[in-house]
Amino acid sequence: MKDLNKIPKSNEDLAWRRIDREVVILQFDGAPDEREKILILNETAAMIWELIDGKNKVKDVIDKLLSEYEVSEEDVCKKITKLMNKFEKKGLITYTVA
Amino acid sequence: MKQADLQTYLLKNAAEKLIPLHCLFELTYRCNLNCLYCYITKNKKKELEKEKVFGILRQLKEAGCFYLTFSGGEPLIRKDFFEIADYARKLKFALRIFTNATLVNESIADKLGNLKPISVEISLCGFKDMHEEMTRVKNSFDKTVKAIRLLRERNVEVLVKMTLTKQNVSQVWKLKRFVKKELGVKWRGIGGNFLVSPCDDGNKRPLQYRLTDEQLKKYIKEEKEEFRSVGKEYKPGKVKKNDILCGAGRSGCNITPSGELNPCAQIRLKKNCLNGHNLSDVWQYHPELNYIRSLRVKDLSECRKCELLSYCFYCPGIARLEQGSFLSKLPEACRLAKIRKEIYSEVNDGQKE
């Protein structure tokens, strides 16, 4: 992760919902025939998604995960970097700088 | 997983865990049209105030509801519609709006576009004369068509649908082409598997508009050809005796303008008012809801061994409205299944397969 002080923010146009242990995200701004795209996040990814509230910095997300799970900081950083990159690539999040 | 598989997974998961994934929220029964086949019984119960609607939306969110459809009556008739819809989007619902669109001008089209709904679904009953004969309001066709164009210009996903009746069935394919080519929006199709519903109080007045046998046969033959022209083939479903009879009350729910919770718009429960009651409690423990959830195909004592079962779109809600019980034999479903089987087991030269 290049900058842990960046603040990830979810795209305002998305619809999403926690359903039981998962989070379902719906994108609907694509080409006419593929407007509705569903993405289902597993338990860990769902927890990270809910921490992306436009206020938490990346490092806050990492700290909160470290306080919840018995995992190394290195593993959490790797996991979050991978996931945030995926979210950004899919247009689910953007970053602002604190 | 493919998108279709994800949808199936979501629905199956919701049905198993009794999560009201879909909600049809009727915001008002007031309407500026007067459609011949409308199933809504207007009553004098007070409409929920905006703050109470907000409260129910928050409870729906907590219960796991994701797909929210605002319907009516005509939902845009409510002066606070956009406050409610904006709030729903803040709660991150995936929003659909069912409207006749006659109230949509440029400013309202802008607001609808800004809401980013998944879709706006609009009914046309046919071309101008037919549409206005059925809506019983002059110039309603022109207003709706103008609105569709305004929404399309704003990149809103518009789906046009049609309730098929004996008056308008002759216009269906021409209307479909008009919608796709002239209006440039999607054709959602005909509603309700031909089952024009009785009114929600059991009044059977709308049933006089159902298609005749001859009209149904002609339509289903044309539909079969339409499917074939795009490489699709209708396949009868495989029905097992332990299959649930209906998904209503499992993954889908309905809220009325006065704040009553139902499994769907065809099944109005008693003692279901949310005023002062927690939505999840009513949803989980309402005895009639649990009875509906318990129903299986094998409980249809008159139908369970019927050879038409795999062609049958049985609706327990309409069965109760028409015949008095969720499990009553529904003659209209039998008629449709018989015709569907007859047409779909024919090969092109008219011989049976």
Side-chain angles (χ1 to χ4, degrees):
Chain A
M1 184 68 58
K2 285 176 190 167
D3 186 353
L4 299 182
N5 282 316
K6 285 196 298 188
I7 300 172
K9 187 176 183 299
S10 60
N11 179 343
E12 294 252 315
D13 291 346
L14 299 173
W16 66 270
R17 180 70 70 243
R18 170 171 281 278
I19 299 177
D20 205 14
R21 293 181 176 183
E22 296 164 329
V23 160
V24 182
I25 302 174
L26 184 66
Q27 277 181 295
F28 40 92
D29 54 359
D33 286 333
E34 46 183 50
R35 282 178 90 111
E36 286 185 45
K37 274 188 197 161
I38 293 176
L39 190 70
I40 300 179
L41 306 182
N42 65 22
E43 195 173 353
T44 313
M47 187 184 170
I48 294 169
W49 177 260
E50 287 184 309
L51 291 169
I52 298 173
D53 59 359
K55 294 173 192 159
N56 284 323
K57 296 173 188 169
V58 175
K59 71 174 183 183
D60 298 328
V61 177
I62 292 170
D63 289 346
K64 285 184 183 172
L65 279 178
L66 285 171
S67 69
E68 290 274 338
Y69 295 96
E70 290 287 336
V71 281
S72 71
E73 190 168 345
E74 191 188 345
D75 283 348
V76 169
C77 281
K78 268 188 196 167
K79 173 101 184 160
I80 287 185
T81 302
K82 195 175 163 189
L83 202 59
M84 296 273 188
N85 285 343
K86 191 176 162 188
F87 289 162
E88 192 181 14
K89 201 174 165 188
K90 286 181 179 288
L92 303 177
I93 61 167
T94 50
Y95 289 100
T96 54
V97 182
Chain B
M1 267 199 271
K2 290 179 185 169
Q3 286 295 309
D5 296 335
L6 288 172
Q7 287 278 8
T8 306
Y9 164 78
L10 274 181
L11 263 180
K12 191 166 175 273
N13 185 49
E16 278 169 8
K17 294 175 180 166
L18 302 183
I19 295 167
L21 187 69
H22 291 262
C23 176
L24 178 75
F25 201 138
E26 298 166 312
L27 287 173
T28 179
Y29 285 151
R30 287 175 289 145
C31 189
N32 55 340
L33 300 185
N34 189 18
C35 297
L36 285 171
Y37 53 79
C38 183
Y39 67 87
I40 299 285
T41 310
K42 289 183 175 125
N43 60 44
K44 291 181 179 171
K45 289 180 188 169
K46 203 177 166 196
E47 275 176 21
L48 291 169
E49 288 162 7
K50 178 179 67 186
E51 283 74 18
K52 289 197 171 167
V53 174
F54 290 174
I56 291 178
L57 292 177
R58 288 193 295 271
Q59 291 190 61
L60 281 168
K61 179 191 168 187
E62 285 306 306
C65 178
F66 186 41
Y67 295 98
L68 177 68
T69 302
F70 284 137
S71 176
E74 170 49 48
L76 292 172
I77 223 164
R78 273 189 76 132
K79 288 191 173 137
D80 52 9
F81 173 79
F82 283 102
E83 287 174 82
I84 292 170
D86 283 336
Y87 189 75
R89 286 294 289 122
K90 275 186 191 134
L91 295 177
K92 298 298 173 189
F93 282 101
L95 198 61
R96 289 191 178 95
I97 299 159
F98 290 178
T99 172
N100 62 45
T102 52
L103 299 171
V104 175
N105 55 24
E106 297 225 353
S107 154
I108 290 177
D110 286 342
K111 287 183 184 173
L112 284 169
N114 291 339
L115 271 178
K116 304 278 179 189
I118 308 177
S119 61
V120 173
E121 296 196 14
I122 298 172
S123 292
L124 282 176
C125 309
F127 289 94
K128 183 172 170 63
D129 290 348
M130 176 62 66
H131 183 78
E132 291 172 11
E133 182 189 321
M134 299 194 75
T135 63
R136 295 184 280 189
V137 174
K138 209 175 170 188
N139 294 327
S140 54
F141 180 83
D142 307 298
K143 286 179 184 172
T144 297
V145 164
K146 187 180 173 193
I148 291 170
R149 292 196 162 111
L150 289 173
L151 292 169
R152 190 199 59 190
E153 284 165 17
R154 285 152 181 82
N155 204 27
V156 174
E157 177 85 327
V158 175
L159 305 177
V160 173
K161 54 193 177 183
M162 178 185 194
T163 297
L164 216 55
T165 66
K166 63 168 67 161
Q167 292 97 322
N168 66 14
V169 64
S170 61
Q171 298 193 355
V172 59
W173 303 114
K174 203 174 163 192
L175 189 73
K176 180 181 176 181
R177 283 193 293 276
F178 170 75
V179 165
K180 292 175 85 170
K181 291 188 177 162
E182 301 292 323
L183 300 181
V185 297
K186 286 185 184 166
W187 176 250
R188 173 82 170 76
I190 56 155
N193 297 316
F194 317 110
L195 277 169
V196 173
S197 172
C199 294
D200 54 5
D201 65 351
N203 185 314
K204 293 176 184 164
R205 179 185 47 76
L207 307 191
Q208 62 185 296
Y209 305 112
R210 283 177 172 167
L211 274 61
T212 65
D213 286 358
E214 288 313 306
Q215 286 177 319
L216 258 175
K217 281 178 193 171
K218 184 170 182 291
Y219 175 80
I220 294 174
K221 269 185 190 173
E222 290 165 350
E223 182 193 57
K224 184 181 171 184
E225 289 312 312
E226 189 85 356
F227 278 160
R228 281 201 171 149
S229 70
V230 292
K232 287 183 186 171
E233 199 76 45
Y234 171 82
K235 285 180 188 162
K238 286 179 185 167
V239 184
K240 297 182 197 119
K241 64 180 182 177
N242 283 320
D243 284 352
I244 57 168
L245 201 50
C246 182
R250 288 182 163 268
S251 58
C253 72
N254 157 254
I255 308 279
T256 69
S258 52
E260 294 151 330
L261 175 73
N262 296 302
C264 71
Q266 269 69 46
I267 304 175
R268 310 293 197 187
L269 305 175
K270 289 175 186 158
K271 295 182 182 171
N272 55 345
C273 191
L274 295 174
N275 199 4
H277 294 90
N278 180 278
L279 182 143
S280 287
D281 287 345
V282 179
W283 177 252
Q284 295 285 337
Y285 303 115
H286 194 287
E288 207 175 356
L289 259 176
N290 281 321
Y291 170 69
I292 294 161
R293 288 167 182 150
S294 75
L295 298 176
R296 298 289 183 273
V297 170
K298 65 184 176 188
D299 298 319
L300 291 167
S301 58
E302 293 181 86
C303 309
R304 62 191 166 205
K305 290 182 180 166
C306 178
E307 57 168 13
L308 297 171
L309 208 53
S310 54
Y311 292 88
C312 181
F313 294 112
Y314 185 84
C315 171
I318 293 182
R320 185 173 73 158
L321 289 170
E322 273 191 62
Q323 306 294 322
S325 154
F326 291 126
L327 297 172
S328 296
K329 188 172 173 178
L330 179 56
E332 179 65 358
C334 305
R335 179 173 84 108
L336 295 170
K338 194 176 166 195
I339 292 173
R340 201 174 280 117
K341 186 180 180 192
E342 189 182 310
I343 305 291
Y344 277 94
S345 54
E346 275 177 5
V347 289
N348 282 341
D349 60 2
Q351 305 249 317
K352 295 278 180 189
E353 280 174 343

